Amino acid sequence: MDQFKLFRFVLMCYGVAYFRLSAALEQGQRCIDPAGQAGKCVLFRECASLLAIYSKRFTTPEETRFLTNSRCGQIDRRTLVCCASEEQRKPNKLPISPECGIQLSDRIFGGQNTELEEFPWTALIEYRKPGNLYDFHCGGTLINARYILTAAHCVQSLPRGWQLSGIRLGEWDLNTLNDCSNGFCSDSPIDLEIESIVAHAGYNAADTGHTNDIALIRLTQDVPMSRTIRPICLPQSEPNRSRNRVGMTTFAAGWGKTESVSASHQKLKVELNVQDLSRCMQIYRGIDITLKDTHMCAGGLQGKDTCTGDSGGPLMAKITGVWNLIGVVSFGPSKCGTAGFPGVYTNVAKYMDWIESNVQ
């Protein structure tokens, strides 16, 4: 490794973690890394996972903090770091920051165009329709190397003759093969086959409240990660699971209906604030729709909403510098962007046990 870079890393560790030296560990001792994973205190140069982060051409602030906080001691003036064992980093486990929620760089009402590398976990679900026609009609979110999280209504009770065909990742502009923006061009998007689907057993398509509107799609192969394909983090631990999100600024993203066209060729985003659920329940009760505590409401301003085609897509919030998936687009008023009617989302935190038990 470049000695200057290693020296800079050591200085960084001393600058932030000097106060922890009194509790420094010895080489080979067991430890817990900043992501809560068990490991051993080893020489920095012996930890492949941390070296991989440090050797990247561009390192995010979150990744830098992870490197810094991984320091567990020193030996002969050489830095020791807490290196999680490979058993703790199985590709099919749900990732923890900094392995998720980091981004490098028309169904969305009042939306804005995203940047090319923005929200790299957004997925498109493709369907085969009668006449051998193929099109995208739902969204989803990459949560690890093998799974897409989406809405149950995107995979069950489909229109007659419709079949799920595949998943597309790394897409930005549907009209171009290779997307370019601000001097950067991405690799072509990738299309992946579906191995299996698990929809929540409690979902009933006849339920107007769309309770338990959540599903997992398992891909036939691990996803190759890149600048435009990365997983988002999930609210796996406390206090993130039980956090009060009312008033929180969130974003939804997708390619669904917009004010002017039936579908956008470019990925759009819209900013939405989480609304008080009890108030939202009263609003929807007025149109004979019952919401439960497993729902989440966001938006409600004129012209700013998610709409047809964004179903199953992500509602995201940046928490402590890392993007978390907090909601799955479920449903809303028949006229998208109606003032006073927030969109309704499946509250991901309420389903973490279900997600963890169904991810193989």
Side-chain angles (χ1 to χ4, degrees):
M1 169 180 288
D2 183 277
Q3 292 299 314
F4 175 75
K5 291 183 69 178
L6 182 58
F7 178 68
R8 181 162 57 88
F9 171 69
V10 172
L11 287 180
M12 175 182 67
C13 290
Y14 273 109
V16 178
Y18 178 79
F19 71 94
R20 295 161 56 189
L21 285 178
S22 59
L25 301 178
E26 295 182 359
Q27 187 174 8
Q29 280 190 297
R30 295 184 180 278
C31 58
I32 301 295
D33 77 357
Q37 296 177 325
K40 288 185 178 181
C41 194
V42 302
L43 289 172
F44 177 60
R45 68 188 184 196
E46 295 176 355
C47 185
S49 58
L50 293 183
L51 281 174
I53 297 174
Y54 186 71
S55 299
K56 291 169 57 177
R57 183 177 180 183
F58 298 103
T59 304
T60 67
E62 290 78 15
E63 289 171 326
T64 299
R65 282 196 292 273
F66 187 85
L67 287 171
T68 301
N69 293 331
S70 293
R71 184 179 184 273
C72 57
Q74 65 176 343
I75 182 172
D76 297 330
R77 296 189 176 184
R78 291 179 294 175
T79 300
L80 296 175
V81 293
C82 186
C83 187
S85 65
E86 292 303 314
E87 291 183 356
Q88 296 292 328
R89 297 184 178 273
K90 294 180 181 179
N92 288 336
K93 291 179 67 68
L94 295 173
I96 301 174
S97 174
E99 297 173 352
C100 59
I102 305 297
Q103 62 181 24
L104 303 176
S105 98
D106 237 347
R107 148 100 212 211
I108 301 288
F109 274 70
Q112 299 174 319
N113 287 22
T114 60
E115 296 297 325
L116 183 55
E117 298 172 329
E118 200 167 8
F119 310 132
W121 34 81
T122 48
L124 283 161
I125 302 178
E126 186 180 52
Y127 299 82
R128 179 182 178 182
K129 302 186 292 185
N132 204 32
L133 299 176
Y134 292 82
D135 206 351
F136 301 110
H137 289 281
C138 265
T141 309
L142 183 69
I143 60 171
N144 74 355
R146 202 65 176 267
Y147 280 87
I148 302 294
L149 190 67
T150 187
H153 78 262
C154 287
V155 301
Q156 282 191 348
S157 302
L158 302 176
R160 185 174 182 179
W162 285 36
Q163 292 181 329
L164 267 72
S165 172
I167 301 294
R168 177 170 291 185
L169 293 168
E171 183 61 274
W172 184 58
D173 191 329
L174 290 166
N175 288 349
T176 59
L177 181 61
N178 289 95
D179 298 325
C180 295
S181 177
N182 297 324
F184 168 69
C185 293
S186 68
D187 296 331
S188 299
I190 59 174
D191 292 311
L192 299 132
E193 296 180 350
I194 295 171
E195 179 178 297
S196 60
I197 299 170
V198 178
H200 196 287
Y203 175 73
N204 181 355
D207 173 19
T208 58
H210 295 273
T211 305
N212 303 315
D213 194 9
I214 193 167
L216 284 164
I217 299 176
R218 179 175 168 85
L219 305 171
T220 57
Q221 65 185 69
D222 285 359
V223 175
M225 302 301 173
S226 68
R227 294 178 67 169
T228 54
I229 302 176
R230 301 164 72 95
I232 196 171
C233 292
L234 295 178
Q236 298 184 56
S237 59
E238 295 295 351
N240 209 2
R241 284 201 190 194
S242 58
R243 184 190 301 267
N244 182 355
R245 307 192 193 282
V246 176
M248 179 179 288
T249 298
T250 66
F251 284 86
W255 288 263
K257 185 183 297 183
T258 67
E259 301 95 326
S260 58
V261 295
S262 60
S264 171
H265 64 87
Q266 194 172 96
K267 181 164 62 177
L268 302 179
K269 65 183 177 183
V270 63
E271 181 179 331
L272 305 164
N273 288 334
V274 177
Q275 302 299 316
D276 179 73
L277 182 58
S278 60
R279 172 59 181 156
C280 191
M281 286 178 170
Q282 294 177 3
I283 293 172
Y284 277 91
R285 192 176 297 125
I287 55 174
D288 295 324
I289 294 178
T290 301
L291 301 185
K292 298 185 177 180
D293 64 357
T294 53
H295 289 107
M296 177 182 292
C297 294
L301 298 180
Q302 181 69 39
K304 299 186 70 172
D305 196 4
T306 47
C307 197
T308 305
D310 286 328
S311 293
L315 183 70
M316 308 159 284
K318 203 167 189 180
I319 302 172
T320 61
V322 177
W323 286 98
N324 278 246
L325 179 65
I326 65 168
V328 174
V329 180
S330 184
F331 72 100
S334 57
K335 180 175 174 53
C336 305
T338 300
F341 273 85
V344 181
Y345 303 78
T346 302
N347 188 339
V348 173
K350 298 289 187 178
Y351 291 90
M352 281 309 307
D353 290 342
W354 179 86
I355 294 170
E356 290 171 347
S357 64
N358 282 282
V359 170
Q360 298 176 17

